[in-house]
């Protein structure tokens, strides 16, 4: 089973996808972490984030994998917390907009999706993949497609809280708005709400309620 979840920055995709994957006992795929890992590598190597060819070379060479909890590994070493740093936040959307970078990452994402879905056992197999183009480009035939949204203010509040800086919500709101604009207007694989996706507005929902809604959808699918 492939479950694809998209939505703007800090809309709660990771939390929802991670908890859903855990509940179903299937793979969790955080594709944002992959673009963050490429960006981290670009910055570490002093590559110019606007240089498409150089960023593509980094994306083609990087060795990305995930630990059992779904946390990103770069060359086998933990990518957290550096992949969430402000330096990465500032440049990730530019790096992720290069088609060559996307081509390299999408190939890895599809491979992970295939591996997670393969197998003949009666157990549920599959992946919960979250990002910006899971429903539109990477897994257009997903069994379940979800578009998670929350108001800019609520998303900034949550992200600031998550980072341990509740007083900096306004700054976070500006960063999220800038990335949303960039991610929605780029040429290759912009963030879009596809037809047929379940739209979930989460301002008034707790993470547990979001999970519950998603579980209901999966149960309806499985009959
Ligand atoms: O967690 P947050 O919403 O802040 O961001 P993320 O999901 O970690 O994604 C970071 C950035 O990676 C996004 O702002 C996009 O520029 C890019 N991204 C993308 O282009 N395609 C994806 N499938 C996932 C992320």
């Amino acid at each position: 089973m492939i479950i694809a979840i998209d939505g703007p920055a800090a809309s709660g995709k990771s939390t929802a996808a991670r908890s859903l994957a855990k509940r179903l006992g299937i793979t969790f795929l955080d594709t944002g972490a992959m673009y963050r890992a490429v960006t981290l590598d670009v910055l570490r190597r002093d590559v110019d984030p606007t240089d498409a060819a150089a960023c593509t070379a980094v994306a083609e060479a990087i060795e990305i994998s995930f630990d059992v909890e779904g946390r990103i590994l770069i060359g086998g070493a933990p990518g957290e917390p550096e992949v969430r740093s402000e330096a990465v936040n500032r440049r990730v959307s530019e790096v992720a907009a290069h088609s060559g970078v996307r081509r390299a990452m999408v190939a890895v994402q599809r491979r992970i999706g295939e591996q997670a879905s393969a197998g003949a056992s009666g157990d549920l197999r599959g992946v919960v993949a979250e990002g910006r183009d899971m429903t539109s480009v990477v897994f257009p035939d997903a069994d379940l497609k979800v578009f998670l949204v929350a108001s800019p203010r609520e998303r900034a509040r949550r992200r600031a809280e998550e980072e341990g800086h509740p007083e900096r919500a306004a700054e976070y709101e500006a960063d999220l708005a800038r990335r949303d604009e960039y991610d929605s207007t780029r040429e290759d694989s912009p963030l879009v709400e596809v037809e047929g996706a379940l739209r979930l507005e989460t301002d008034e929902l707790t993470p547990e309620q979001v999970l519950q809604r998603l579980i209901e959808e999966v149960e309806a699918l499985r009959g």
Side-chain angles (χ1 to χ4, degrees):
M1 169 175 287
I2 295 189
I3 300 169
I5 305 180
D6 286 326
S11 54
K13 300 180 302 289
S14 287
T15 305
R18 184 185 290 279
S19 59
L20 180 62
K22 193 162 189 184
R23 180 71 72 89
L24 297 174
I26 62 178
T27 300
F28 162 57
L29 178 58
D30 177 354
T31 64
M34 297 174 67
Y35 292 99
R36 288 174 175 277
V38 174
T39 305
L40 181 61
D41 215 17
V42 160
L43 297 176
R44 280 180 178 162
R45 291 173 193 277
D46 243 344
V47 164
D48 175 1
T50 65
D51 183 336
C55 288
T56 298
V58 170
E60 286 173 349
I62 196 171
E63 215 187 289
I64 288 177
S65 56
F66 291 90
D67 70 11
V68 286
E69 298 287 332
R71 278 184 299 256
I72 194 145
L73 303 173
I74 307 171
E80 307 273 1
E82 287 87 352
V83 291
R84 315 270 161 205
S85 66
E86 279 177 42
V88 170
N89 281 342
R90 269 198 297 276
R91 307 312 294 261
V92 62
S93 288
E94 275 166 278
V95 173
H98 300 308
S99 288
V101 170
R102 304 203 68 79
R103 213 175 305 123
M105 291 303 111
V106 168
V108 176
Q109 291 158 16
R110 290 201 176 122
R111 194 161 65 237
I112 291 173
E114 274 162 27
Q115 280 167 357
S117 310
S121 83
D123 292 346
L124 182 63
R125 312 224 350 120
V127 66
V128 184
E130 57 100 354
R132 302 293 186 290
D133 58 346
M134 297 300 104
T135 59
S136 55
V137 173
V138 183
F139 300 115
D141 300 322
D143 300 278
L144 175 64
K145 299 181 194 178
V146 180
F147 196 75
L148 269 194
V149 287
S151 65
R153 173 139 315 166
E154 176 61 15
R155 291 191 278 128
R157 192 194 65 75
R158 290 179 190 165
R159 180 53 54 91
E161 189 109 338
E162 216 171 80
E163 300 290 325
H165 296 292
E167 75 289 354
R168 290 174 60 192
E171 252 172 81
Y172 281 97
E173 192 167 338
D175 172 63
L176 300 181
R178 184 184 55 76
R179 278 199 288 132
D180 285 349
E181 168 71 14
Y182 211 104
D183 295 341
S184 308
T185 56
R186 69 181 174 216
E187 221 158 276
D188 191 346
S189 314
L191 171 67
V192 288
E193 186 171 357
V194 299
E195 223 181 271
L198 166 74
R199 182 189 177 92
L200 266 188
E201 310 239 5
T202 70
D203 274 40
E204 311 289 334
L205 300 178
T206 63
E208 182 53 39
Q209 287 171 321
V210 174
L211 173 62
Q212 212 38 55
R213 271 295 279 124
L214 295 175
I215 296 278
E216 282 166 23
E217 291 294 321
V218 172
E219 279 171 358
L221 272 179
R222 298 175 80 192

